[in-house]
Amino acid sequence: DFFLSGENNQDAVTGTESVSIYLRFGWMLFLALRIHVFSRFKDLVTCTNGLVSILTNISVLSVRKGTKGVDLISSLCNIYHTSEDDLLKMIEKANTLIVGILKKTPCPASECQTEELKNIDTDGLTYFQDLVEEISIISSIRILERDYEDAIHDRGELDERMFVNEEDSLFGSGSVSGGAANISGVKRKYDAMSSPTKTITSPLSPPGSPLTSPVKESSTPSKNKMPPPATPVSTTMTTAKWLRTVIAPLPAKPSSELEHFLSSCDRDITADVIRRTQIILEAIFPSSAPVYRCVAGSLQSAALMDSIWAEQRRLEALKLYYRVLAAMCRAESQRLRNSNLTSLLINERFHRCMLACSAELVLATHKTVTMMFPAVLERAGITAFDLSKLGLLAEPMPSLDTIAMHHNLTSGSLQLSSIPHKIEATS
């Protein structure tokens, strides 16, 4: 839907559907962004931000207008539930990639006199002249394909160009020629299975402008129009928006209510809770990483993005943990009619399970494929049995000092390795 052309429907001779070269260009540009910028943390939210950041032209059902015209960034965020800050940063990375790999010259959109930017608020936007003109785009696709081949050479990874190259691809097939590529019947079959009732038409028309090109307003949608069906991407982005808008603004420390419960124990355990939280979440989301080569002339290394990503996820898990812990303490206090919850709050296993669950929820929200269950449990020094209330025998947990020491030894690598469990029980 990002790149399909509403004008290229079906070839009169072959009877096959066709898509424009803009699909191939958009996909290859996204792959370049993912390989060079995303590094190893290829979660679904980051990938979606990347897809939205390289949209070349968009026709939307609803746009947001300011005093200077259509607010392109705000409109995209409204449609795809992305963060404006995250999208702006991703667009900057995409711009840098276009300059570095495709050798295109950027121009502040506010300084460009072109019909394509009419009615667009150009503040902060970058314009690339002739970026997706047919002659230029074919050359760009070849450059991006060579870059992709160099990047995946000898890695043994899936060649993701199959989505636009192979005869049985879901998107398209054939070589770049004549501005279009044939699509096999596989896509029609896929469409029929995934969307029996076609409620969404392609939001894109063939781009005639650059990276952040004009929004074309469509007619007002009918009030009786069915809402788009939920997809894995839309569900993920909605959940991530909840983390971003509800959890992220919370303080990165226990609330005054939670501090009250922690200090009301037989002894004040606030410092113990904070120390445990820091050690466990730092082990799950390590902030240090090896330095990688800078990509395509960019001053930003992939390692830096890894660290930023880990810091953001760590803060989300921390704030979620404190919020849920406060809610549990409140409920337990009301049940017992007592603010002294020592027996619960000094339970080491309980806190580690809570921290692991918070981290798992954050990772599940972002659909992160590089940290799969039970890696988080291992980093927290627990097993799946520790999450159970069936009285099953769990292994003795390693101490926090052991976890911290193991993390220090393996810092610089974001690969999650097992932490040896101690034979003796810990307090």
Side-chain angles (χ1 to χ4, degrees), residues 20-153:
S20 68
I21 55 176
Y22 305 107
L23 166 60
R24 184 183 298 271
F25 175 64
W27 185 249
M28 293 308 302
L29 185 58
F30 166 70
L31 292 183
L33 188 68
R34 190 181 65 73
I35 288 175
H36 291 307
V37 177
F38 297 172
S39 185
R40 284 163 295 177
F41 284 131
K42 303 177 181 70
D43 64 279
L44 186 56
V45 174
T46 301
C47 286
T48 302
N49 285 334
L51 273 175
V52 177
S53 74
I54 52 91
L55 291 180
T56 53
N57 194 356
I58 185 166
S59 175
V60 297
L61 295 178
S62 61
V63 296
R64 292 186 171 182
K65 290 186 177 180
T67 56
K68 298 182 179 180
V70 172
D71 188 332
L72 183 62
I73 303 300
S74 179
S75 297
L76 289 170
C77 291
N78 181 50
I79 297 167
Y80 300 111
H81 305 292
T82 58
S83 160
E84 284 199 28
D85 290 340
D86 291 345
L87 185 57
L88 283 170
K89 292 175 183 176
M90 192 66 73
I91 288 176
E92 289 179 7
K93 293 180 176 67
N95 290 343
T96 301
L97 202 69
I98 291 172
V99 173
I101 295 181
L102 301 181
K103 309 303 180 186
K104 300 296 183 180
T105 303
C107 173
S110 58
E111 298 178 6
C112 298
Q113 301 297 324
T114 172
E115 185 68 19
E116 295 162 345
L117 295 177
K118 185 179 180 180
N119 300 323
I120 298 291
D121 183 355
T122 57
D123 287 353
L125 299 183
T126 299
Y127 188 91
F128 291 92
Q129 185 71 35
D130 300 328
L131 176 66
V132 290
E133 294 298 329
E134 185 167 324
I135 296 178
S136 174
I137 202 173
I138 292 176
S139 173
S140 295
I141 290 172
R142 289 170 179 156
I143 294 173
L144 290 171
E145 288 193 340
R146 285 197 299 269
D147 176 78
Y148 184 81
E149 289 173 358
D150 292 340
I152 68 168
H153 184 63

Side-chain angles (χ1 to χ4, degrees), residues 280-300:
I280 297 296
L281 292 182
E282 178 67 29
I284 296 173
F285 302 105
S287 56
S288 55
V291 177
Y292 297 98
R293 65 183 177 90
C294 292
V295 177
S298 172
L299 296 179
Q300 171 125 19

Side-chain angles (χ1 to χ4, degrees), residues 220-226:
T220 304
S222 169
K223 293 182 179 180
N224 296 325
K225 184 178 179 64
M226 293 292 292

Side-chain angles (χ1 to χ4, degrees), residues 251 253-264 270 322 326:
K253 62 180 182 179
S255 64
S256 57
E257 180 187 29
L258 181 56
E259 283 187 339
H260 167 71
F261 289 117
L262 298 177
S263 61
S264 298
T270 304
Y322 283 146

Side-chain angles (χ1 to χ4, degrees), residues 357-422:
C357 286
S358 297
E360 284 284 3
L361 284 169
V362 168
L363 291 172
T365 293
H366 287 265
K367 296 293 188 294
T368 308
V369 298
T370 51
M371 295 187 187
M372 305 300 288
F373 186 88
V376 168
L377 302 188
E378 293 173 354
R379 278 286 171 169
I382 59 176
T383 69
F385 289 115
D386 292 299
L387 299 172
S388 170
K389 295 181 63 178
L390 306 170
L392 297 174
L393 180 63
E395 296 181 29
M397 295 181 297
S399 66
L400 289 174
D401 290 337
T402 301
I403 293 176
M405 180 180 67
H406 184 81
H407 166 65
N408 291 334
L409 290 175
T410 57
S411 62
S413 173
L414 296 181
Q415 299 297 325
L416 296 180
S417 57
S418 299
I419 297 176
H421 281 65
K422 295 181 68 176

Side-chain angles (χ1 to χ4, degrees), residues 187-200 229-231:
K187 184 181 185 300
R188 290 194 298 273
K189 183 177 180 181
Y190 175 80
D191 284 342
M193 291 188 301
S194 62
S195 182
T197 56
K198 277 282 217 182
T199 58
I200 305 179
T231 68

